[in-house]
Amino acid sequence: WTDGLPVVFPTAQKVAAMVAASGRNAADPIGPIPPRWRQATIEKIAVNAVLAGCRPEYFPVVLAAIDALLDNDCQLYGIQTATNTTAPLLFVNGPIAKEIDINARGNALGQGARANATIGRAVQLVFRNIGGDIAGETDMATHGHAGKFTACFAEAEDDSPWAPFHVDAGFGPSDSTVTVIGASAPQNIFTY
């Protein structure tokens, strides 16, 4: 049930608040989660978001990330089972980033930002608890990296002279989006 760190106990009340924030039915299926392809529902994902320490207002971002990660073009199964250090990296654009205070500045991938830490952690707990992604069994990374706990940040749109990433991708400036990619740690060590 955990990644080795303490978790928040998922009471019925906390899970119900998370589900309510999604505006969807608890039993709605999301899809099978690799690598063991167990079926995820809104409620099962909500349980993991509570375990991770998410606030209900973060839950739509968690669901958007899971949705994007399950897209065939993402190749999530390969990201999860490879021997390299790759893990999903989430970056958030649009008004939601400011609304829920996702850090887009200094130490954005470090400690101190609850939204960043818990959104990425919820996704990783979904992989573990629903998808059966277990280090040394299905996750064969030789070294891993901290992104396997959490990796989520927002683009500092107000500080950039360029159009935000989601606008370049065809979304409107007032749309909120989550982009997911497989990313490795700053240092990658191979054993040949």
Side-chain angles (χ1 to χ4, degrees):
W1 284 83
T2 180
D3 49 15
L5 297 173
V7 293
V8 175
F9 189 74
T11 64
Q13 182 181 5
K14 290 175 183 174
V15 172
M18 201 68 68
V19 169
S22 75
R24 297 171 68 178
N25 185 304
D28 284 354
I30 298 302
I33 306 291
R36 298 188 195 233
W37 305 104
R38 297 176 186 146
Q39 186 62 238
T41 63
I42 297 293
E43 183 178 47
K44 287 180 182 178
I45 296 171
V47 167
N48 286 279
V50 172
L51 285 166
C54 284
R55 293 181 173 150
E57 58 268 28
Y58 304 170
F59 195 50
V61 176
V62 172
L63 287 177
I66 295 291
D67 223 16
L69 286 159
L70 293 180
D71 186 285
N72 287 335
D73 287 340
C74 183
Q75 299 294 316
L76 178 59
Y77 182 84
I79 291 171
Q80 291 176 298
T81 59
T83 58
N84 63 35
T85 63
T86 304
L89 173 66
L90 322 175
F91 63 97
V92 181
N93 283 94
I96 192 75
K98 287 182 184 175
E99 289 169 19
I100 63 174
D101 199 25
I102 298 177
N103 185 9
R105 289 178 178 76
N107 208 29
L109 290 172
Q111 76 281 15
R114 181 176 180 171
N116 299 50
T118 61
I119 290 168
R121 186 177 185 209
V123 168
Q124 289 294 332
L125 288 174
V126 164
F127 294 164
R128 179 179 183 84
N129 296 327
I130 301 173
D133 188 22
I134 309 296
E137 291 179 28
T138 57
D139 179 347
M140 301 310 291
T142 54
H143 294 91
H145 74 92
K148 290 182 179 273
F149 283 105
T150 182
C152 174
F153 64 96
E155 181 178 353
E157 296 176 27
D158 294 342
D159 298 339
S160 176
W162 300 287
F165 179 82
H166 73 301
V167 173
D168 282 346
F171 293 92
S174 63
D175 291 334
S176 291
T177 65
V178 179
T179 302
V180 299
I181 59 171
S184 289
Q187 202 63 309
N188 202 348
I189 303 168
F190 290 95
T191 56
Y192 289 107

